[in-house]
Amino acid sequence: MPPIITISINTRGDYDFIDITAKVSRHLVNTAFQEGLATVFIAGSTAGLILIEYEPGLVQDLKRAFQRIAPVEAYYEHNAKWGDGNGHSHVSASISGQSVAIPFSSGKLLLGTWQQIVLVDFDNRPRQRQVYVKFIQG
């Protein structure tokens, strides 16, 4: 069984949406596995992983939706305790989640025609993010 794969990604923060589907798919090809499950996880409490149609209109719609759910200017206990001003990013990341599981067959991820794996960095500053991928044959 192959080890856990680490993909490092530099982000801009502030609702940076990054399509990582091709990176995950390239690593799947390297395993030579034909059927199984890909688990993808982002470490950190201010970023998330989502499965969406990665197109500019939907990216803007989702950015506005997250801003309505957890506005930057709202009061957050987290900000009061730590003073880092990113309480909104913790809330947004908690809602989006930090992992996805995708089946694969014939050595290809079984994503819908318009579906991609997207990292969203909600934090208020750039970061280097670590995405961990594990392919389970089965």
Side-chain angles (χ1 to χ4, degrees):
M1 185 167 294
I4 294 174
I5 297 155
T6 304
I7 301 171
S8 295
I9 299 171
N10 291 318
T11 67
R12 296 185 311 258
D14 294 321
Y15 303 94
D16 193 7
F17 284 66
I18 302 168
D19 180 359
I20 63 169
T21 310
K23 292 178 187 305
V24 174
S25 293
R26 273 194 299 275
H27 286 289
L28 175 57
V29 169
N30 291 338
T31 68
F33 286 176
Q34 290 302 298
E35 293 200 6
L37 186 68
T39 60
V40 187
F41 173 81
I42 183 154
S45 59
T46 58
L49 290 173
I50 58 177
L51 298 173
I52 64 167
E53 178 180 351
Y54 183 72
E55 61 87 15
L58 182 57
V59 167
Q60 288 306 310
D61 292 341
L62 284 170
K63 180 178 179 179
R64 282 194 298 271
F66 278 114
Q67 289 170 337
R68 282 191 305 272
I69 292 167
V72 173
E73 65 279 356
Y75 176 82
Y76 296 94
E77 294 290 338
H78 175 84
N79 293 347
K81 174 145 178 101
W82 300 105
D84 52 8
N86 68 353
H88 70 285
S89 60
H90 287 277
V91 171
S92 294
S94 295
I95 291 168
S96 71
Q98 283 78 35
S99 66
V100 294
I102 304 146
F104 60 89
S105 184
S106 300
K108 294 184 180 170
L109 296 171
L110 295 177
L111 293 167
T113 302
W114 306 112
Q115 194 174 38
Q116 289 84 36
I117 307 164
V118 178
L119 180 160
V120 186
D121 191 339
F122 299 104
D123 214 341
N124 57 1
R125 65 185 176 95
R127 293 198 176 259
Q128 182 178 55
R129 298 293 187 173
Q130 306 304 317
V131 175
Y132 299 101
V133 182
K134 180 70 175 177
F135 297 107
I136 302 163
Q137 187 172 6

